[in-house]
Amino acid sequence: MPDRLMLLDTASLYFRAFYGLPDSIRRPDGTPVNAVRGLLDMIARLTTDYGATHLIACWDDDWRPQWRVDLLPTYKAHRVAEVNAGAPDIEVVPDALEAQLPMIRRVLGLAGIAIVGAPDHEADDVVGTYASHAGIPVDVVTGDRDLFQVCDDGRQVRVIYTARGMRNLDVMTEQVVVGKYRVLPQQYADYATLRGDASDGLPGVAGIGEKTAASLLLTYGTLENLLEAAADAGSGLSSPVRAKLEAAEDYLKAAPAVVRLVRDLELPSLEEAGARLHPATGEARAELERLAVDWNLGGSVRRLLDALDRTHPS
């Protein structure tokens, strides 16, 4: 099997699992386990269907980094449950999901699945760094359109997009992104900045929607070039568009650095992270099988173990 790296936007997946399965699925002590079950089933299916040989569960060490908030105070502001001075703010997460996060980390650890985060950065930045430097084909699994930035047909980097559900996955390549949005992946951050994204607290430029944003980037290539044209009275840019960009001047100065993925984090190599998939054996396997019963994880652990066993068929 040729090497292929799969990068999980882990929070995106465990939120989807939590809302996709009833939280009446519980341990004997009453703790819900629907997100644990759902995530394990997703991993088993995805790694098998897409032939992953390496896997990293990318983690939000900081879901709302202060440096992004300093640039754009509205960034994810609607998702803040509690402000923490000197530490990451507390995100709005249902208590029934919050209780499952330690279980998720424990089960992934026992299964030998690498979990990688980075201080002061989101999982998206971990994805961006690995996807940009992996040296082998990469599949990024996410429900976040911002990660379309990494699609690169030449380097065989694509996004397995989950927004329509696990039964309707969209494989986003560079060609597909261009066909759907009329922008290149490397233009996607500028495109998102212009059109805005309410889910991330990005207001966008008032009066500029997806079609106009794509059209402007087709003409000018980058947001920087577009803003230079807006500042040049003789550029040919229409007066209404020029006025809209001028009204959003402060936002447009700050937002691009917020939206663009960080691609140069100092992260462990694939080997150092233990990214290569392998069967769970010995005490770790026995513990997983015990937890499958004690935590009421049903067949999800078995399906994950079977998927891992297939990475080294006898």
mmCIF file with all atom_site columns, all heavy atoms in Angstrom, residues 67-93:
data_model
loop_
_atom_site.group_PDB
_atom_site.id
_atom_site.type_symbol
_atom_site.label_atom_id
_atom_site.label_alt_id
_atom_site.label_comp_id
_atom_site.label_asym_id
_atom_site.label_entity_id
_atom_site.label_seq_id
_atom_site.pdbx_PDB_ins_code
_atom_site.Cartn_x
_atom_site.Cartn_y
_atom_site.Cartn_z
_atom_site.occupancy
_atom_site.B_iso_or_equiv
_atom_site.pdbx_formal_charge
_atom_site.auth_seq_id
_atom_site.auth_comp_id
_atom_site.auth_asym_id
_atom_site.auth_atom_id
_atom_site.pdbx_PDB_model_num
ATOM 1   N N   . TRP A 1 67 ? -3.624  35.898 19.515 1.00 0.00 ? 67 TRP A N   1
ATOM 2   C CA  . TRP A 1 67 ? -3.055  36.732 18.452 1.00 0.00 ? 67 TRP A CA  1
ATOM 3   C C   . TRP A 1 67 ? -4.062  36.949 17.318 1.00 0.00 ? 67 TRP A C   1
ATOM 4   O O   . TRP A 1 67 ? -4.072  38.009 16.690 1.00 0.00 ? 67 TRP A O   1
ATOM 5   C CB  . TRP A 1 67 ? -1.749  36.154 17.924 1.00 0.00 ? 67 TRP A CB  1
ATOM 6   C CG  . TRP A 1 67 ? -1.822  34.777 17.314 1.00 0.00 ? 67 TRP A CG  1
ATOM 7   C CD1 . TRP A 1 67 ? -1.668  33.583 17.944 1.00 0.00 ? 67 TRP A CD1 1
ATOM 8   C CD2 . TRP A 1 67 ? -2.058  34.470 15.932 1.00 0.00 ? 67 TRP A CD2 1
ATOM 9   N NE1 . TRP A 1 67 ? -1.797  32.539 17.052 1.00 0.00 ? 67 TRP A NE1 1
ATOM 10  C CE2 . TRP A 1 67 ? -2.024  33.057 15.805 1.00 0.00 ? 67 TRP A CE2 1
ATOM 11  C CE3 . TRP A 1 67 ? -2.285  35.245 14.792 1.00 0.00 ? 67 TRP A CE3 1
ATOM 12  C CZ2 . TRP A 1 67 ? -2.217  32.404 14.593 1.00 0.00 ? 67 TRP A CZ2 1
ATOM 13  C CZ3 . TRP A 1 67 ? -2.471  34.596 13.579 1.00 0.00 ? 67 TRP A CZ3 1
ATOM 14  C CH2 . TRP A 1 67 ? -2.440  33.198 13.485 1.00 0.00 ? 67 TRP A CH2 1
ATOM 15  N N   . ARG A 1 68 ? -4.941  35.984 17.093 1.00 0.00 ? 68 ARG A N   1
ATOM 16  C CA  . ARG A 1 68 ? -5.990  36.189 16.093 1.00 0.00 ? 68 ARG A CA  1
ATOM 17  C C   . ARG A 1 68 ? -7.059  37.139 16.630 1.00 0.00 ? 68 ARG A C   1
ATOM 18  O O   . ARG A 1 68 ? -7.575  37.987 15.896 1.00 0.00 ? 68 ARG A O   1
ATOM 19  C CB  . ARG A 1 68 ? -6.614  34.847 15.690 1.00 0.00 ? 68 ARG A CB  1
ATOM 20  C CG  . ARG A 1 68 ? -5.762  34.043 14.691 1.00 0.00 ? 68 ARG A CG  1
ATOM 21  C CD  . ARG A 1 68 ? -6.504  32.844 14.121 1.00 0.00 ? 68 ARG A CD  1
ATOM 22  N NE  . ARG A 1 68 ? -5.846  32.328 12.930 1.00 0.00 ? 68 ARG A NE  1
ATOM 23  C CZ  . ARG A 1 68 ? -5.195  31.165 12.856 1.00 0.00 ? 68 ARG A CZ  1
ATOM 24  N NH1 . ARG A 1 68 ? -5.124  30.381 13.915 1.00 0.00 ? 68 ARG A NH1 1
ATOM 25  N NH2 . ARG A 1 68 ? -4.626  30.791 11.718 1.00 0.00 ? 68 ARG A NH2 1
ATOM 26  N N   . VAL A 1 69 ? -7.381  37.014 17.901 1.00 0.00 ? 69 VAL A N   1
ATOM 27  C CA  . VAL A 1 69 ? -8.372  37.899 18.508 1.00 0.00 ? 69 VAL A CA  1
ATOM 28  C C   . VAL A 1 69 ? -7.856  39.338 18.535 1.00 0.00 ? 69 VAL A C   1
ATOM 29  O O   . VAL A 1 69 ? -8.613  40.290 18.308 1.00 0.00 ? 69 VAL A O   1
ATOM 30  C CB  . VAL A 1 69 ? -8.721  37.426 19.936 1.00 0.00 ? 69 VAL A CB  1
ATOM 31  C CG1 . VAL A 1 69 ? -9.688  38.390 20.615 1.00 0.00 ? 69 VAL A CG1 1
ATOM 32  C CG2 . VAL A 1 69 ? -9.325  36.027 19.892 1.00 0.00 ? 69 VAL A CG2 1
ATOM 33  N N   . ASP A 1 70 ? -6.559  39.515 18.803 1.00 0.00 ? 70 ASP A N   1
ATOM 34  C CA  . ASP A 1 70 ? -5.977  40.858 18.808 1.00 0.00 ? 70 ASP A CA  1
ATOM 35  C C   . ASP A 1 70 ? -6.128  41.527 17.442 1.00 0.00 ? 70 ASP A C   1
ATOM 36  O O   . ASP A 1 70 ? -6.346  42.741 17.352 1.00 0.00 ? 70 ASP A O   1
ATOM 37  C CB  . ASP A 1 70 ? -4.496  40.793 19.182 1.00 0.00 ? 70 ASP A CB  1
ATOM 38  C CG  . ASP A 1 70 ? -4.279  40.442 20.649 1.00 0.00 ? 70 ASP A CG  1
ATOM 39  O OD1 . ASP A 1 70 ? -5.242  40.556 21.451 1.00 0.00 ? 70 ASP A OD1 1
ATOM 40  O OD2 . ASP A 1 70 ? -3.151  40.025 21.004 1.00 0.00 ? 70 ASP A OD2 1
ATOM 41  N N   . LEU A 1 71 ? -6.013  40.727 16.392 1.00 0.00 ? 71 LEU A N   1
ATOM 42  C CA  . LEU A 1 71 ? -6.165  41.263 15.040 1.00 0.00 ? 71 LEU A CA  1
ATOM 43  C C   . LEU A 1 71 ? -7.623  41.531 14.704 1.00 0.00 ? 71 LEU A C   1
ATOM 44  O O   . LEU A 1 71 ? -7.957  42.518 14.049 1.00 0.00 ? 71 LEU A O   1
ATOM 45  C CB  . LEU A 1 71 ? -5.581  40.281 14.017 1.00 0.00 ? 71 LEU A CB  1
ATOM 46  C CG  . LEU A 1 71 ? -4.060  40.171 13.975 1.00 0.00 ? 71 LEU A CG  1
ATOM 47  C CD1 . LEU A 1 71 ? -3.623  38.944 13.169 1.00 0.00 ? 71 LEU A CD1 1
ATOM 48  C CD2 . LEU A 1 71 ? -3.453  41.437 13.371 1.00 0.00 ? 71 LEU A CD2 1
ATOM 49  N N   . LEU A 1 72 ? -8.512  40.620 15.157 1.00 0.00 ? 72 LEU A N   1
ATOM 50  C CA  . LEU A 1 72 ? -9.926  40.722 14.809 1.00 0.00 ? 72 LEU A CA  1
ATOM 51  C C   . LEU A 1 72 ? -10.757 40.294 16.026 1.00 0.00 ? 72 LEU A C   1
ATOM 52  O O   . LEU A 1 72 ? -11.027 39.107 16.219 1.00 0.00 ? 72 LEU A O   1
ATOM 53  C CB  . LEU A 1 72 ? -10.230 39.818 13.610 1.00 0.00 ? 72 LEU A CB  1
ATOM 54  C CG  . LEU A 1 72 ? -11.595 40.000 12.958 1.00 0.00 ? 72 LEU A CG  1
ATOM 55  C CD1 . LEU A 1 72 ? -11.699 41.364 12.278 1.00 0.00 ? 72 LEU A CD1 1
ATOM 56  C CD2 . LEU A 1 72 ? -11.839 38.887 11.936 1.00 0.00 ? 72 LEU A CD2 1
ATOM 57  N N   . PRO A 1 73 ? -11.176 41.238 16.865 1.00 0.00 ? 73 PRO A N   1
ATOM 58  C CA  . PRO A 1 73 ? -11.871 40.896 18.114 1.00 0.00 ? 73 PRO A CA  1
ATOM 59  C C   . PRO A 1 73 ? -13.144 40.067 17.922 1.00 0.00 ? 73 PRO A C   1
ATOM 60  O O   . PRO A 1 73 ? -13.553 39.348 18.841 1.00 0.00 ? 73 PRO A O   1
ATOM 61  C CB  . PRO A 1 73 ? -12.186 42.262 18.726 1.00 0.00 ? 73 PRO A CB  1
ATOM 62  C CG  . PRO A 1 73 ? -11.114 43.161 18.187 1.00 0.00 ? 73 PRO A CG  1
ATOM 63  C CD  . PRO A 1 73 ? -10.878 42.678 16.791 1.00 0.00 ? 73 PRO A CD  1
ATOM 64  N N   . THR A 1 74 ? -13.776 40.157 16.754 1.00 0.00 ? 74 THR A N   1
ATOM 65  C CA  . THR A 1 74 ? -15.003 39.384 16.534 1.00 0.00 ? 74 THR A CA  1
ATOM 66  C C   . THR A 1 74 ? -14.727 37.914 16.241 1.00 0.00 ? 74 THR A C   1
ATOM 67  O O   . THR A 1 74 ? -15.675 37.111 16.180 1.00 0.00 ? 74 THR A O   1
ATOM 68  C CB  . THR A 1 74 ? -15.805 39.961 15.349 1.00 0.00 ? 74 THR A CB  1
ATOM 69  O OG1 . THR A 1 74 ? -15.004 39.898 14.156 1.00 0.00 ? 74 THR A OG1 1
ATOM 70  C CG2 . THR A 1 74 ? -16.219 41.396 15.619 1.00 0.00 ? 74 THR A CG2 1
ATOM 71  N N   . TYR A 1 75 ? -13.460 37.545 16.076 1.00 0.00 ? 75 TYR A N   1
ATOM 72  C CA  . TYR A 1 75 ? -13.135 36.180 15.671 1.00 0.00 ? 75 TYR A CA  1
ATOM 73  C C   . TYR A 1 75 ? -13.678 35.169 16.684 1.00 0.00 ? 75 TYR A C   1
ATOM 74  O O   . TYR A 1 75 ? -13.285 35.160 17.849 1.00 0.00 ? 75 TYR A O   1
ATOM 75  C CB  . TYR A 1 75 ? -11.624 36.023 15.522 1.00 0.00 ? 75 TYR A CB  1
ATOM 76  C CG  . TYR A 1 75 ? -11.189 34.649 15.037 1.00 0.00 ? 75 TYR A CG  1
ATOM 77  C CD1 . TYR A 1 75 ? -11.587 34.175 13.796 1.00 0.00 ? 75 TYR A CD1 1
ATOM 78  C CD2 . TYR A 1 75 ? -10.398 33.841 15.834 1.00 0.00 ? 75 TYR A CD2 1
ATOM 79  C CE1 . TYR A 1 75 ? -11.204 32.929 13.354 1.00 0.00 ? 75 TYR A CE1 1
ATOM 80  C CE2 . TYR A 1 75 ? -10.000 32.583 15.394 1.00 0.00 ? 75 TYR A CE2 1
ATOM 81  C CZ  . TYR A 1 75 ? -10.412 32.137 14.152 1.00 0.00 ? 75 TYR A CZ  1
ATOM 82  O OH  . TYR A 1 75 ? -10.032 30.878 13.718 1.00 0.00 ? 75 TYR A OH  1
ATOM 83  N N   . LYS A 1 76 ? -14.621 34.357 16.271 1.00 0.00 ? 76 LYS A N   1
ATOM 84  C CA  . LYS A 1 76 ? -15.255 33.317 17.080 1.00 0.00 ? 76 LYS A CA  1
ATOM 85  C C   . LYS A 1 76 ? -15.835 33.841 18.396 1.00 0.00 ? 76 LYS A C   1
ATOM 86  O O   . LYS A 1 76 ? -16.053 33.068 19.336 1.00 0.00 ? 76 LYS A O   1
ATOM 87  C CB  . LYS A 1 76 ? -14.260 32.179 17.372 1.00 0.00 ? 76 LYS A CB  1
ATOM 88  C CG  . LYS A 1 76 ? -13.806 31.417 16.132 1.00 0.00 ? 76 LYS A CG  1
ATOM 89  C CD  . LYS A 1 76 ? -12.915 30.242 16.514 1.00 0.00 ? 76 LYS A CD  1
ATOM 90  C CE  . LYS A 1 76 ? -12.483 29.441 15.283 1.00 0.00 ? 76 LYS A CE  1
ATOM 91  N NZ  . LYS A 1 76 ? -11.619 28.302 15.646 1.00 0.00 ? 76 LYS A NZ  1
ATOM 92  N N   . ALA A 1 77 ? -16.093 35.143 18.464 1.00 0.00 ? 77 ALA A N   1
ATOM 93  C CA  . ALA A 1 77 ? -16.545 35.733 19.731 1.00 0.00 ? 77 ALA A CA  1
ATOM 94  C C   . ALA A 1 77 ? -17.880 35.146 20.182 1.00 0.00 ? 77 ALA A C   1
ATOM 95  O O   . ALA A 1 77 ? -18.128 35.014 21.394 1.00 0.00 ? 77 ALA A O   1
ATOM 96  C CB  . ALA A 1 77 ? -16.663 37.251 19.576 1.00 0.00 ? 77 ALA A CB  1
ATOM 97  N N   . HIS A 1 78 ? -18.735 34.783 19.233 1.00 0.00 ? 78 HIS A N   1
ATOM 98  C CA  . HIS A 1 78 ? -20.052 34.257 19.584 1.00 0.00 ? 78 HIS A CA  1
ATOM 99  C C   . HIS A 1 78 ? -19.970 32.853 20.169 1.00 0.00 ? 78 HIS A C   1
ATOM 100 O O   . HIS A 1 78 ? -20.966 32.329 20.669 1.00 0.00 ? 78 HIS A O   1
ATOM 101 C CB  . HIS A 1 78 ? -20.941 34.243 18.336 1.00 0.00 ? 78 HIS A CB  1
ATOM 102 C CG  . HIS A 1 78 ? -20.405 33.407 17.217 1.00 0.00 ? 78 HIS A CG  1
ATOM 103 N ND1 . HIS A 1 78 ? -19.230 33.697 16.558 1.00 0.00 ? 78 HIS A ND1 1
ATOM 104 C CD2 . HIS A 1 78 ? -20.881 32.261 16.653 1.00 0.00 ? 78 HIS A CD2 1
ATOM 105 C CE1 . HIS A 1 78 ? -19.016 32.788 15.642 1.00 0.00 ? 78 HIS A CE1 1
ATOM 106 N NE2 . HIS A 1 78 ? -19.989 31.901 15.676 1.00 0.00 ? 78 HIS A NE2 1
ATOM 107 N N   . ARG A 1 79 ? -18.783 32.247 20.136 1.00 0.00 ? 79 ARG A N   1
ATOM 108 C CA  . ARG A 1 79 ? -18.631 30.887 20.661 1.00 0.00 ? 79 ARG A CA  1
ATOM 109 C C   . ARG A 1 79 ? -17.905 30.862 22.005 1.00 0.00 ? 79 ARG A C   1
ATOM 110 O O   . ARG A 1 79 ? -17.533 29.794 22.495 1.00 0.00 ? 79 ARG A O   1
ATOM 111 C CB  . ARG A 1 79 ? -17.876 30.024 19.639 1.00 0.00 ? 79 ARG A CB  1
ATOM 112 C CG  . ARG A 1 79 ? -18.731 29.739 18.412 1.00 0.00 ? 79 ARG A CG  1
ATOM 113 C CD  . ARG A 1 79 ? -17.941 29.385 17.176 1.00 0.00 ? 79 ARG A CD  1
ATOM 114 N NE  . ARG A 1 79 ? -17.039 28.272 17.355 1.00 0.00 ? 79 ARG A NE  1
ATOM 115 C CZ  . ARG A 1 79 ? -16.205 27.839 16.403 1.00 0.00 ? 79 ARG A CZ  1
ATOM 116 N NH1 . ARG A 1 79 ? -16.191 28.438 15.221 1.00 0.00 ? 79 ARG A NH1 1
ATOM 117 N NH2 . ARG A 1 79 ? -15.408 26.818 16.632 1.00 0.00 ? 79 ARG A NH2 1
ATOM 118 N N   . VAL A 1 80 ? -17.684 32.019 22.602 1.00 0.00 ? 80 VAL A N   1
ATOM 119 C CA  . VAL A 1 80 ? -16.988 32.096 23.880 1.00 0.00 ? 80 VAL A CA  1
ATOM 120 C C   . VAL A 1 80 ? -17.974 31.915 25.028 1.00 0.00 ? 80 VAL A C   1
ATOM 121 O O   . VAL A 1 80 ? -18.946 32.657 25.153 1.00 0.00 ? 80 VAL A O   1
ATOM 122 C CB  . VAL A 1 80 ? -16.249 33.437 24.041 1.00 0.00 ? 80 VAL A CB  1
ATOM 123 C CG1 . VAL A 1 80 ? -15.622 33.543 25.427 1.00 0.00 ? 80 VAL A CG1 1
ATOM 124 C CG2 . VAL A 1 80 ? -15.183 33.591 22.970 1.00 0.00 ? 80 VAL A CG2 1
ATOM 125 N N   . ALA A 1 81 ? -17.711 30.922 25.865 1.00 0.00 ? 81 ALA A N   1
ATOM 126 C CA  . ALA A 1 81 ? -18.551 30.703 27.043 1.00 0.00 ? 81 ALA A CA  1
ATOM 127 C C   . ALA A 1 81 ? -18.012 31.461 28.246 1.00 0.00 ? 81 ALA A C   1
ATOM 128 O O   . ALA A 1 81 ? -18.763 31.911 29.106 1.00 0.00 ? 81 ALA A O   1
ATOM 129 C CB  . ALA A 1 81 ? -18.636 29.215 27.365 1.00 0.00 ? 81 ALA A CB  1
ATOM 130 N N   . GLU A 1 82 ? -16.680 31.579 28.314 1.00 0.00 ? 82 GLU A N   1
ATOM 131 C CA  . GLU A 1 82 ? -16.052 32.220 29.467 1.00 0.00 ? 82 GLU A CA  1
ATOM 132 C C   . GLU A 1 82 ? -14.688 32.750 29.059 1.00 0.00 ? 82 GLU A C   1
ATOM 133 O O   . GLU A 1 82 ? -13.904 32.044 28.420 1.00 0.00 ? 82 GLU A O   1
ATOM 134 C CB  . GLU A 1 82 ? -15.884 31.210 30.609 1.00 0.00 ? 82 GLU A CB  1
ATOM 135 C CG  . GLU A 1 82 ? -15.266 31.772 31.874 1.00 0.00 ? 82 GLU A CG  1
ATOM 136 C CD  . GLU A 1 82 ? -15.105 30.715 32.958 1.00 0.00 ? 82 GLU A CD  1
ATOM 137 O OE1 . GLU A 1 82 ? -15.846 29.704 32.906 1.00 0.00 ? 82 GLU A OE1 1
ATOM 138 O OE2 . GLU A 1 82 ? -14.241 30.880 33.823 1.00 0.00 ? 82 GLU A OE2 1
ATOM 139 N N   . VAL A 1 83 ? -14.414 34.011 29.386 1.00 0.00 ? 83 VAL A N   1
ATOM 140 C CA  . VAL A 1 83 ? -13.127 34.625 29.075 1.00 0.00 ? 83 VAL A CA  1
ATOM 141 C C   . VAL A 1 83 ? -12.129 34.273 30.169 1.00 0.00 ? 83 VAL A C   1
ATOM 142 O O   . VAL A 1 83 ? -12.425 34.406 31.360 1.00 0.00 ? 83 VAL A O   1
ATOM 143 C CB  . VAL A 1 83 ? -13.258 36.157 28.950 1.00 0.00 ? 83 VAL A CB  1
ATOM 144 C CG1 . VAL A 1 83 ? -11.888 36.796 28.747 1.00 0.00 ? 83 VAL A CG1 1
ATOM 145 C CG2 . VAL A 1 83 ? -14.187 36.514 27.804 1.00 0.00 ? 83 VAL A CG2 1
ATOM 146 N N   . ASN A 1 84 ? -10.950 33.811 29.757 1.00 0.00 ? 84 ASN A N   1
ATOM 147 C CA  . ASN A 1 84 ? -9.898  33.436 30.696 1.00 0.00 ? 84 ASN A CA  1
ATOM 148 C C   . ASN A 1 84 ? -8.707  34.357 30.514 1.00 0.00 ? 84 ASN A C   1
ATOM 149 O O   . ASN A 1 84 ? -8.069  34.335 29.460 1.00 0.00 ? 84 ASN A O   1
ATOM 150 C CB  . ASN A 1 84 ? -9.445  31.988 30.454 1.00 0.00 ? 84 ASN A CB  1
ATOM 151 C CG  . ASN A 1 84 ? -10.162 31.001 31.341 1.00 0.00 ? 84 ASN A CG  1
ATOM 152 O OD1 . ASN A 1 84 ? -10.856 31.385 32.265 1.00 0.00 ? 84 ASN A OD1 1
ATOM 153 N ND2 . ASN A 1 84 ? -9.999  29.728 31.051 1.00 0.00 ? 84 ASN A ND2 1
ATOM 154 N N   . ALA A 1 85 ? -8.385  35.172 31.483 1.00 0.00 ? 85 ALA A N   1
ATOM 155 C CA  . ALA A 1 85 ? -7.221  36.043 31.393 1.00 0.00 ? 85 ALA A CA  1
ATOM 156 C C   . ALA A 1 85 ? -5.953  35.209 31.443 1.00 0.00 ? 85 ALA A C   1
ATOM 157 O O   . ALA A 1 85 ? -5.754  34.416 32.355 1.00 0.00 ? 85 ALA A O   1
ATOM 158 C CB  . ALA A 1 85 ? -7.235  37.055 32.536 1.00 0.00 ? 85 ALA A CB  1
ATOM 159 N N   . GLY A 1 86 ? -5.096  35.384 30.424 1.00 0.00 ? 86 GLY A N   1
ATOM 160 C CA  . GLY A 1 86 ? -3.818  34.683 30.404 1.00 0.00 ? 86 GLY A CA  1
ATOM 161 C C   . GLY A 1 86 ? -3.896  33.232 29.991 1.00 0.00 ? 86 GLY A C   1
ATOM 162 O O   . GLY A 1 86 ? -2.914  32.501 30.065 1.00 0.00 ? 86 GLY A O   1
ATOM 163 N N   . ALA A 1 87 ? -5.074  32.780 29.547 1.00 0.00 ? 87 ALA A N   1
ATOM 164 C CA  . ALA A 1 87 ? -5.242  31.389 29.112 1.00 0.00 ? 87 ALA A CA  1
ATOM 165 C C   . ALA A 1 87 ? -6.307  31.366 28.036 1.00 0.00 ? 87 ALA A C   1
ATOM 166 O O   . ALA A 1 87 ? -7.065  32.323 27.878 1.00 0.00 ? 87 ALA A O   1
ATOM 167 C CB  . ALA A 1 87 ? -5.648  30.500 30.289 1.00 0.00 ? 87 ALA A CB  1
ATOM 168 N N   . PRO A 1 88 ? -6.366  30.276 27.254 1.00 0.00 ? 88 PRO A N   1
ATOM 169 C CA  . PRO A 1 88 ? -7.391  30.208 26.215 1.00 0.00 ? 88 PRO A CA  1
ATOM 170 C C   . PRO A 1 88 ? -8.795  30.376 26.786 1.00 0.00 ? 88 PRO A C   1
ATOM 171 O O   . PRO A 1 88 ? -9.105  29.848 27.852 1.00 0.00 ? 88 PRO A O   1
ATOM 172 C CB  . PRO A 1 88 ? -7.197  28.799 25.621 1.00 0.00 ? 88 PRO A CB  1
ATOM 173 C CG  . PRO A 1 88 ? -5.768  28.469 25.891 1.00 0.00 ? 88 PRO A CG  1
ATOM 174 C CD  . PRO A 1 88 ? -5.471  29.096 27.211 1.00 0.00 ? 88 PRO A CD  1
ATOM 175 N N   . ASP A 1 89 ? -9.622  31.139 26.074 1.00 0.00 ? 89 ASP A N   1
ATOM 176 C CA  . ASP A 1 89 ? -11.010 31.287 26.489 1.00 0.00 ? 89 ASP A CA  1
ATOM 177 C C   . ASP A 1 89 ? -11.715 29.936 26.427 1.00 0.00 ? 89 ASP A C   1
ATOM 178 O O   . ASP A 1 89 ? -11.325 29.036 25.677 1.00 0.00 ? 89 ASP A O   1
ATOM 179 C CB  . ASP A 1 89 ? -11.736 32.279 25.573 1.00 0.00 ? 89 ASP A CB  1
ATOM 180 C CG  . ASP A 1 89 ? -11.218 33.702 25.733 1.00 0.00 ? 89 ASP A CG  1
ATOM 181 O OD1 . ASP A 1 89 ? -10.671 34.010 26.801 1.00 0.00 ? 89 ASP A OD1 1
ATOM 182 O OD2 . ASP A 1 89 ? -11.354 34.484 24.772 1.00 0.00 ? 89 ASP A OD2 1
ATOM 183 N N   . ILE A 1 90 ? -12.759 29.803 27.215 1.00 0.00 ? 90 ILE A N   1
ATOM 184 C CA  . ILE A 1 90 ? -13.533 28.564 27.246 1.00 0.00 ? 90 ILE A CA  1
ATOM 185 C C   . ILE A 1 90 ? -14.585 28.603 26.144 1.00 0.00 ? 90 ILE A C   1
ATOM 186 O O   . ILE A 1 90 ? -15.367 29.539 26.056 1.00 0.00 ? 90 ILE A O   1
ATOM 187 C CB  . ILE A 1 90 ? -14.219 28.372 28.614 1.00 0.00 ? 90 ILE A CB  1
ATOM 188 C CG1 . ILE A 1 90 ? -13.180 28.431 29.746 1.00 0.00 ? 90 ILE A CG1 1
ATOM 189 C CG2 . ILE A 1 90 ? -14.989 27.058 28.640 1.00 0.00 ? 90 ILE A CG2 1
ATOM 190 C CD1 . ILE A 1 90 ? -12.112 27.377 29.656 1.00 0.00 ? 90 ILE A CD1 1
ATOM 191 N N   . GLU A 1 91 ? -14.586 27.596 25.301 1.00 0.00 ? 91 GLU A N   1
ATOM 192 C CA  . GLU A 1 91 ? -15.518 27.518 24.186 1.00 0.00 ? 91 GLU A CA  1
ATOM 193 C C   . GLU A 1 91 ? -16.858 26.960 24.664 1.00 0.00 ? 91 GLU A C   1
ATOM 194 O O   . GLU A 1 91 ? -16.937 26.179 25.607 1.00 0.00 ? 91 GLU A O   1
ATOM 195 C CB  . GLU A 1 91 ? -14.950 26.605 23.095 1.00 0.00 ? 91 GLU A CB  1
ATOM 196 C CG  . GLU A 1 91 ? -15.788 26.535 21.832 1.00 0.00 ? 91 GLU A CG  1
ATOM 197 C CD  . GLU A 1 91 ? -15.182 25.642 20.769 1.00 0.00 ? 91 GLU A CD  1
ATOM 198 O OE1 . GLU A 1 91 ? -14.219 24.911 21.073 1.00 0.00 ? 91 GLU A OE1 1
ATOM 199 O OE2 . GLU A 1 91 ? -15.670 25.694 19.624 1.00 0.00 ? 91 GLU A OE2 1
ATOM 200 N N   . VAL A 1 92 ? -17.912 27.380 23.982 1.00 0.00 ? 92 VAL A N   1
ATOM 201 C CA  . VAL A 1 92 ? -19.233 26.816 24.244 1.00 0.00 ? 92 VAL A CA  1
ATOM 202 C C   . VAL A 1 92 ? -19.242 25.369 23.747 1.00 0.00 ? 92 VAL A C   1
ATOM 203 O O   . VAL A 1 92 ? -19.222 25.110 22.542 1.00 0.00 ? 92 VAL A O   1
ATOM 204 C CB  . VAL A 1 92 ? -20.338 27.622 23.539 1.00 0.00 ? 92 VAL A CB  1
ATOM 205 C CG1 . VAL A 1 92 ? -21.685 26.945 23.742 1.00 0.00 ? 92 VAL A CG1 1
ATOM 206 C CG2 . VAL A 1 92 ? -20.374 29.054 24.046 1.00 0.00 ? 92 VAL A CG2 1
ATOM 207 N N   . VAL A 1 93 ? -19.212 24.435 24.684 1.00 0.00 ? 93 VAL A N   1
ATOM 208 C CA  . VAL A 1 93 ? -19.242 23.008 24.361 1.00 0.00 ? 93 VAL A CA  1
ATOM 209 C C   . VAL A 1 93 ? -20.275 22.366 25.283 1.00 0.00 ? 93 VAL A C   1
ATOM 210 O O   . VAL A 1 93 ? -20.218 22.561 26.496 1.00 0.00 ? 93 VAL A O   1
ATOM 211 C CB  . VAL A 1 93 ? -17.865 22.338 24.575 1.00 0.00 ? 93 VAL A CB  1
ATOM 212 C CG1 . VAL A 1 93 ? -17.940 20.844 24.279 1.00 0.00 ? 93 VAL A CG1 1
ATOM 213 C CG2 . VAL A 1 93 ? -16.798 22.991 23.707 1.00 0.00 ? 93 VAL A CG2 1
#
